[in-house]
Amino acid sequence: MSLNDILDSLFPAGHAVAVDNKVITGEATTAQGTVAVLGTTDAAAIDHAMALALSAFILDTVEQHPGRPLVYLVDTSGQALSRSQELLCLNGSLAHLAQCVDLARRQGHASLSLVTANAVSGGFLSFGLMADRAYALADTQVRVMDLRAMSRVTKIAHERLLELGAGSPIFAPGAESYVCMGAIEAIWPVPSAGLLEEALAAGQVAPVGDLRQLCGAERGGRQLAAGITKTVQNAACGA
Amino acid sequence: MIASLAARHSWFEATARARLAGLLDPGSFSEILPPAESTPSPHLALLDLPGAFDDGVVVCYGQLEKKPIFAIAQEGQFMGGAVGEIHGAKIVGMLRRAIEEKPAAVLFLIDSGGVRLHEANAGLIAISEIMRAVLDARAAGVPVLALVGGSCGAFGGMGIVAKLCSAIIISEEGRLALSGPEVIETVAGVEEFDSKDRALVWRVTGGKHRYLMGDCAMLVEDDIAAFRHGATEFLAGWSEPAPSLAHLRAGQQALENRLAAYASYRDGLQVWAALGIAQPESVPLLDRDSLVALKEGLPT
């Protein structure tokens, strides 16, 4: 599905969005008012320039449109893989972007992200997973690494990973796993203005803190994390 | 000189527990959820892999020069310090506890390749939760100081986490980046990044380069006592700023300027020359004190 089809479906009341170097920036009209629309398209491998274009747009929005909700569209194959990118500390630019998403939240901007095609590792961490709530379209690729590469790195046979992945959201790639694990709210069968309006309305009530562990425990995908974090928070200490 | 070398305890070679023992005031270490009260990762057991009772990370109370601090220390010798479900949840718990109890600082001894692939989704989400928790602790006024000098460096999502901390103290042996050189070589070819070329890897990701570029606040010797002194000195002069638009605007400008100036470079030697270092080829040979003096004399 093309970006324009997705935008038309999500924002039938109108959108003005530019795409430059796979980076989306602009705004759209919704029943909740104008929202900022930003993100990446065409399986962008996020590099310094893309991260800084996104962070600049977030800072402009915080400065010029206080409180305007942010809708992040996520289509990233991960981080750019190159020596020149690493030389200039790519993790630093991705951290800067994550910090800008976080600042917007602290300044009262509701945010949601929608995975439109791919959401992979560092690219997903830097903005999609930093939003208040994340959603995904059906049939999207959400993962750390594909299973063949994972098999090469972990030296566990591909067939064995497939077999284990079948029963385990802990490492099976796919948006469904991330729903079970509490990191994605819901999967949308198609891009839909109605679902977006519902999500924006839900977003008016800012979540109290990061609830993904609790959500993952309730949904049964992540059975340990919430309890361990709570134990560490509450443990009596000898000191 | 010989005496001081003999007394040095390498951070790089030490275990997480040995680092903590030398970093904190003697006798102040108090572990939360110690191995005896914990269980190894069931996800590793499912793959017939050996687990660790602490799941590769130690979280504790302690003191640094008599001030109460929290510490989080990843064990690079277990699964490359990688973040799985339990490992990540312990870190998140300690950071959230810091928001309640407001220690003088959280010392984050990072030694990790990032996500533990055997628990890939749990690891990725945990790193996202750590990112949020680091920023929440800082917003609550608690400095989070990253110490990087272990054998696994700070890579992948943990490279991002390191850059979300208040500052990074790194040793010459420390490495900080996003993708590992092996991953880049596998995907983009040996011409792009030869991961066997140790000197090149170091000129692109190593502690001296990150310090010269300003990505790390302090460069210290590969010595546990040097990290202790560095952390003490840094915290004495630091008060955690509230998150602000002005602060991130300044960061944005610095990153844009740097990208505009150096985007075409592929080797630390080129960047160092552009920074105004007359003999960039000498940088790898300089000891820590000479390098710090060199950086302090550079035009700003």
Side-chain angles (χ1 to χ4, degrees), chain A residues 46 48-49 51-53 55-56 58-64 79-96 98-100 102-103 105-107 119-122 124-126 129-132 142-145 149-150 152-154 156 160-161 164 168-174 177-178 181-183 207 209-213 221-226 228-239, chain B residues 28 30-33 41-43 46-49 59 61 85-86 88-90 92-94 96-97 100-101 115 117-129 131-133 135-139 154 156-157 159-164 176-180 183-184 186-188 190-194 200 203-205 209-210 213 215 243-245 247-249 251-252 255-256 258-259 262-268 270-271:
Chain A
I46 313 284
H48 286 281
L52 294 177
S55 56
I58 296 169
L59 295 178
D60 287 348
T61 302
V62 169
E63 194 163 83
Q64 293 159 20
Q79 62 263 23
L81 292 168
S82 96
R83 201 209 304 173
S84 61
Q85 292 290 325
E86 293 296 347
L87 183 67
L88 299 188
C89 205
L90 185 54
N91 49 307
S93 285
L94 295 196
H96 174 73
Q99 239 176 321
C100 291
D102 189 73
L103 179 80
R105 177 195 353 273
R106 289 180 201 283
Q107 306 261 350
V120 181
S121 65
F124 195 23
L125 281 175
S126 63
L129 281 174
M130 287 298 287
D132 290 344
V142 183
R143 64 184 184 215
V144 173
M145 197 183 259
M150 208 183 271
R152 212 162 45 230
V153 178
T154 59
I156 297 168
R160 176 95 171 112
L161 287 182
L164 287 159
S168 168
I170 295 285
F171 65 71
S177 290
Y178 283 77
M181 301 283 288
D210 184 345
L211 303 175
R212 291 176 289 184
Q213 282 184 342
R222 232 175 355 148
Q223 297 173 4
L224 303 171
I228 285 169
T229 290
K230 195 155 178 259
T231 304
V232 169
Q233 275 183 271
N234 297 334
C237 194
Chain B
S28 72
S30 175
E31 185 167 1
I32 294 180
L33 207 60
S41 166
H43 313 307
L46 206 62
L47 293 162
D48 302 320
L49 291 168
V59 296
Y61 265 49
E85 182 175 6
I86 295 174
K90 287 172 73 177
V92 170
M94 212 55 198
R96 290 188 186 161
R97 187 169 181 145
E100 302 292 317
E101 295 184 27
V115 172
L117 289 175
H118 313 79
E119 312 178 18
N121 301 335
L124 188 74
I125 298 165
I127 286 180
S128 180
E129 287 161 345
M131 290 167 64
R132 294 269 300 264
L135 293 172
D136 285 342
R138 292 184 57 195
I160 301 177
V161 169
K163 284 299 295 170
L164 288 174
L176 170 68
L178 192 53
S179 302
V183 173
I184 296 176
T186 303
V187 176
V190 70
E191 314 74 35
E192 178 59 35
F193 207 161
D194 181 356
L200 174 66
R203 293 196 302 271
V204 173
T205 68
H209 174 60
R210 295 302 185 215
M213 293 280 285
D215 288 305
S244 76
L245 181 64
H247 183 74
L248 289 178
R249 275 278 185 217
Q252 174 85 24
L255 290 169
E256 285 178 5
R258 183 158 98 171
L259 184 62
Y262 308 138
S264 64
Y265 295 157
R266 301 184 70 227
D267 193 316
Q270 295 167 298
V271 180

Side-chain angles (χ1 to χ4, degrees), chain A residues 5-199:
Chain A
D5 291 342
I6 293 171
L7 290 167
D8 287 344
S9 308
L10 291 175
F11 306 111
H15 55 83
V17 167
V19 179
D20 182 17
N21 185 29
K22 300 191 181 182
V23 172
I24 303 165
T25 53
E27 57 185 56
T29 307
T30 73
Q32 319 280 328
T34 304
V35 298
V37 180
L38 69 163
T40 53
T41 185
D42 298 320
I46 313 284
D47 61 13
H48 286 281
M50 293 175 190
L52 294 177
L54 289 170
S55 56
F57 186 75
I58 296 169
L59 295 178
D60 287 348
T61 302
V62 169
E63 194 163 83
Q64 293 159 20
H65 307 288
R68 179 180 278 187
L70 294 151
V71 175
Y72 297 95
L73 300 179
V74 179
D75 182 6
T76 166
S77 59
Q79 62 263 23
L81 292 168
S82 96
R83 201 209 304 173
S84 61
Q85 292 290 325
E86 293 296 347
L87 183 67
L88 299 188
C89 205
L90 185 54
N91 49 307
S93 285
L94 295 196
H96 174 73
L97 171 55
Q99 239 176 321
C100 291
V101 177
D102 189 73
L103 179 80
R105 177 195 353 273
R106 289 180 201 283
Q107 306 261 350
H109 295 255
S111 61
L112 68 88
S113 61
L114 176 64
V115 178
T116 60
N118 305 277
V120 181
S121 65
F124 195 23
L125 281 175
S126 63
F127 65 103
L129 281 174
M130 287 298 287
D132 290 344
R133 294 176 177 84
Y135 299 84
L137 295 182
D139 302 320
T140 48
Q141 298 291 325
V142 183
R143 64 184 184 215
V144 173
M145 197 183 259
D146 76 35
L147 281 189
R148 286 191 186 282
M150 208 183 271
S151 159
R152 212 162 45 230
V153 178
T154 59
K155 301 183 174 62
I156 297 168
H158 183 235
E159 298 70 33
R160 176 95 171 112
L161 287 182
L162 275 178
E163 180 189 311
L164 287 159
S168 168
I170 295 285
F171 65 71
E176 294 77 10
S177 290
Y178 283 77
V179 172
C180 284
M181 301 283 288
I184 289 181
E185 280 294 307
I187 295 174
W188 298 355
V190 289
S192 134
L195 289 169
L196 181 76
E197 295 290 355
E198 272 176 40

Side-chain angles (χ1 to χ4, degrees), chain B residues 59-106:
Chain B
V59 296
C60 68
Y61 265 49
Q63 291 186 350
L64 183 67
E65 296 295 346
K66 305 211 167 54
K67 292 208 177 83
I69 55 112
F70 289 2
I72 299 164
Q74 293 180 301
E75 177 52 71
Q77 293 172 30
F78 176 71
M79 304 293 297
V83 179
E85 182 175 6
I86 295 174
H87 181 119
K90 287 172 73 177
I91 297 173
V92 170
M94 212 55 198
L95 290 163
R96 290 188 186 161
R97 187 169 181 145
I99 297 165
E100 302 292 317
E101 295 184 27
K102 301 247 181 355
V106 177

